[in-house]
Amino acid sequence: MPFGNTHNKHKLNFKPEEEYPDLSKHNNHMAKALTLELYKKLRDKETPSGFTLDDVIQTGVDNPGHPFIMTVGCVAGDEESYMVFKELFDPIIQDRHGGYKPTDKHKTDLNHENLKGGDDLDPNYVLSSRVRTGRSIKGYALPPHCSRGERRAVEKLSVEALNSLTGEFKGKYYPLKSMTEQEQQQLIDDHFLFDKPVSPLLLASGMARDWPDARGIWHNDNKSFLVWVNEEDHLRVISMEKGGNMKEVFRRFCVGLQKIEEIFKKAGHPFMWNEHLGYVLTCPSNLGTGLRGGVHVKLAHLSKHPKFEEILTRLRLQKRGTGGVDTAAVGSVFDVSNADRLGSSEVEQVQLVVDGVKLMVEMEKKLEKGQSIDDMIPAQK
Ligand code: ADP
Ligand code: MG
């Protein structure tokens, strides 16, 4: 598995047909959108930092599919990637984000008071609640393409900003480099820290170059507000706790995130954002809010029901395994989260999770008693 993209200008001495990747066995959004025509048109373009079409698509070429999720199959290397390779990104974004059009405008709502309910997900089923998003610092290339110097600068800026937080957000930075193997593994096992760079998706996109240089985790004292530095995005901001109080998790997420944004802005380093794409992030699946609000929920019966997948789809939810995106569910514990991130607000997306999970827990209880859930299955939207 390659650890990065290599620039090779000799490729332009070959015909597009001779360079075009074999996508015949592929099932990802990029493979569906890329054509030889488009490749011909875009392959000699590059962004100001030097990201090319071949860099955009490499992860999708090397990873034809994924056992658990439908992958996007491409990444951005910098903010400009979405403009320079717009003709490829637009159909992918449309396909991944429920028909979101190039003329559509994204909305933001980080007022946690607008969320209805969410403080009473049954903790007998909902083991933990979590909301995360990504943020990119304007002016620096994104993880698939950043240089070592850029990555270290992002780390320095982030640690300075985060260390100025106070009260419930007061915390400390733990660079990967100065952690013992055991400390790192414990944080991973407790679901606080990103995995080691084992995912082929991460490796093939170039995000794992120079690992563990300038990577780390910052968190508050009770590990309920955490920030990953330089994993898939410059920043991943996470609020989480055990049990089913999504309302409180979302409150802490919104308040902490807005404090961070304010500090960066004041320091002259705003986040990448525009009206159409919302917050600009590495993976097109995260554009918009970048938000994944989810719970670890035990669904022993429902997960075996023939309509499980259909119910998730109709509720606009997705499932992952217990240990994250590359894992299977252990003991019927699934990570159930919002499927959409673009075109609807943070509040709307978390509301879908709260309402959807509540319904699924009710279904689970019915199935436990041997009753039918046929009349509870939501209609196709
Ligand atoms: P993401 O990149 O969207 O944050 P991943 O699927 O890569 O999520 O998982 C990252 C880590 O977060 C994993 O350890 C996973 O188990 C953990 N995680 C995700 N959702 C929850 C949740 N609701 N409760 C506890 N841990 C979670
Ligand atoms: Mg991840």
Side-chain angles (χ1 to χ4, degrees):
M1 187 58 68
F3 273 86
N5 305 303
T6 46
H7 287 269
N8 178 342
K9 299 213 160 150
H10 290 177
K11 66 189 171 192
L12 295 174
N13 299 335
F14 291 84
K15 292 198 199 91
E17 292 80 359
E18 291 168 321
E19 283 290 333
Y20 193 63
D22 177 1
L23 300 172
S24 56
K25 302 225 161 49
H26 288 55
N27 180 35
N28 56 49
H29 290 289
M30 179 280 292
K32 283 208 265 171
L34 189 66
T35 59
L36 179 60
E37 281 312 301
L38 205 51
Y39 186 78
K40 271 185 197 166
K41 198 168 166 194
L42 298 178
R43 72 171 189 137
D44 59 352
K45 298 201 186 318
E46 58 177 40
T47 64
S49 79
F51 209 60
T52 66
L53 179 65
D54 280 305
D55 300 324
V56 169
I57 65 173
Q58 193 66 53
T59 186
V61 174
D62 291 341
N63 295 281
H66 187 279
F68 307 121
I69 55 166
M70 172 73 177
T71 59
V72 170
C74 63
V75 290
D78 47 25
E79 189 171 16
E80 295 84 1
S81 299
Y82 288 107
M83 290 315 299
V84 175
F85 306 107
K86 188 174 159 51
E87 284 159 277
L88 174 66
F89 278 114
D90 278 352
I92 291 171
I93 290 169
Q94 195 151 354
D95 201 17
R96 173 62 183 75
H97 294 280
Y100 193 77
K101 292 193 289 298
T103 48
D104 284 346
K105 293 207 165 98
H106 177 69
K107 39 184 169 171
T108 299
D109 181 3
L110 282 165
N111 182 357
H112 63 93
E113 286 170 3
N114 292 339
L115 184 74
K116 295 184 197 75
D119 54 350
D120 58 349
L121 298 174
D122 190 339
N124 292 316
Y125 297 84
V126 176
L127 309 182
S128 56
S129 305
R130 177 179 188 262
V131 178
R132 64 85 159 152
T133 187
R135 290 291 187 263
S136 311
I137 303 167
K138 215 175 167 58
Y140 295 89
L142 300 172
H145 190 52
C146 65
S147 72
R148 282 183 287 272
E150 282 187 293
R151 193 186 297 113
R152 289 169 187 162
V154 164
E155 182 189 41
K156 190 162 174 283
L157 279 175
S158 305
V159 173
E160 275 168 15
L162 294 166
N163 281 347
S164 70
L165 291 170
T166 55
E168 64 175 319
F169 300 107
K170 189 179 141 320
K172 211 179 140 197
Y173 183 61
Y174 305 84
L176 233 50
K177 267 185 178 171
S178 46
M179 257 182 226
T180 65
E181 176 67 21
Q182 209 181 359
E183 284 167 333
Q184 193 186 141
Q185 193 57 49
Q186 192 61 52
L187 284 168
I188 295 171
D189 292 344
D190 292 341
H191 304 288
F192 293 125
L193 182 61
F194 45 81
D195 209 347
K196 293 176 184 158
V198 287
S199 161
L201 299 176
L202 209 83
L203 294 173
S205 69
M207 284 185 248
R209 287 170 302 124
D210 310 307
W211 198 274
D213 200 27
R215 274 75 172 202
I217 181 171
W218 179 98
H219 63 72
N220 67 354
D221 298 337
N222 48 3
K223 296 195 190 131
S224 61
F225 190 75
L226 310 98
V227 182
W228 296 350
V229 178
N230 285 321
E231 191 230 16
E232 182 181 320
D233 291 302
H234 288 159
L235 298 174
R236 280 287 178 97
V237 178
I238 303 158
S239 167
M240 65 195 280
E241 66 184 47
K242 290 222 179 321
N245 194 347
M246 190 52 110
K247 188 184 177 74
E248 168 60 10
V249 169
F250 189 52
R251 180 202 64 79
R252 192 167 53 237
F253 172 81
C254 292
V255 174
L257 180 63
Q258 287 173 99
K259 280 185 197 290
I260 294 175
E261 176 146 26
E262 204 47 46
I263 297 168
F264 271 93
K265 233 191 237 163
K266 273 201 186 136
H269 297 285
F271 293 145
M272 295 179 194
W273 180 91
N274 66 62
E275 244 188 354
H276 171 56
L277 297 177
Y279 288 96
V280 174
L281 297 169
T282 299
C283 179
S285 71
N286 283 322
L287 290 166
T289 61
L291 183 144
R292 201 168 76 80
V295 294
H296 270 179
V297 57
K298 210 170 157 62
L299 300 170
H301 298 81
L302 188 60
S303 61
K304 294 188 189 82
H305 194 278
K307 295 240 164 103
F308 182 46
E309 292 288 343
E310 197 178 323
I311 293 166
L312 283 164
T313 310
R314 290 193 182 187
L315 295 170
R316 300 300 308 157
L317 298 174
Q318 69 166 219
K319 69 165 164 47
R320 293 184 178 189
T322 328
V325 63
D326 289 310
T327 65
V330 178
S332 306
V333 175
F334 290 86
D335 165 351
V336 173
S337 62
N338 54 304
D340 302 313
R341 323 225 192 286
L342 188 57
S344 54
S345 73
E346 288 80 355
V347 170
E348 290 170 310
Q349 291 168 10
V350 174
Q351 192 71 57
L352 278 182
V353 174
V354 163
D355 298 345
V357 168
K358 251 189 156 163
L359 181 66
M360 291 174 90
V361 169
E362 277 172 39
M363 290 176 169
E364 177 67 18
K365 289 180 181 171
K366 277 220 160 182
L367 291 171
E368 266 172 22
K369 292 185 209 138
Q371 296 168 356
S372 159
I373 56 163
D374 289 353
D375 58 338
M376 296 172 85
I377 295 176
Q380 189 105 46
K381 274 184 195 147

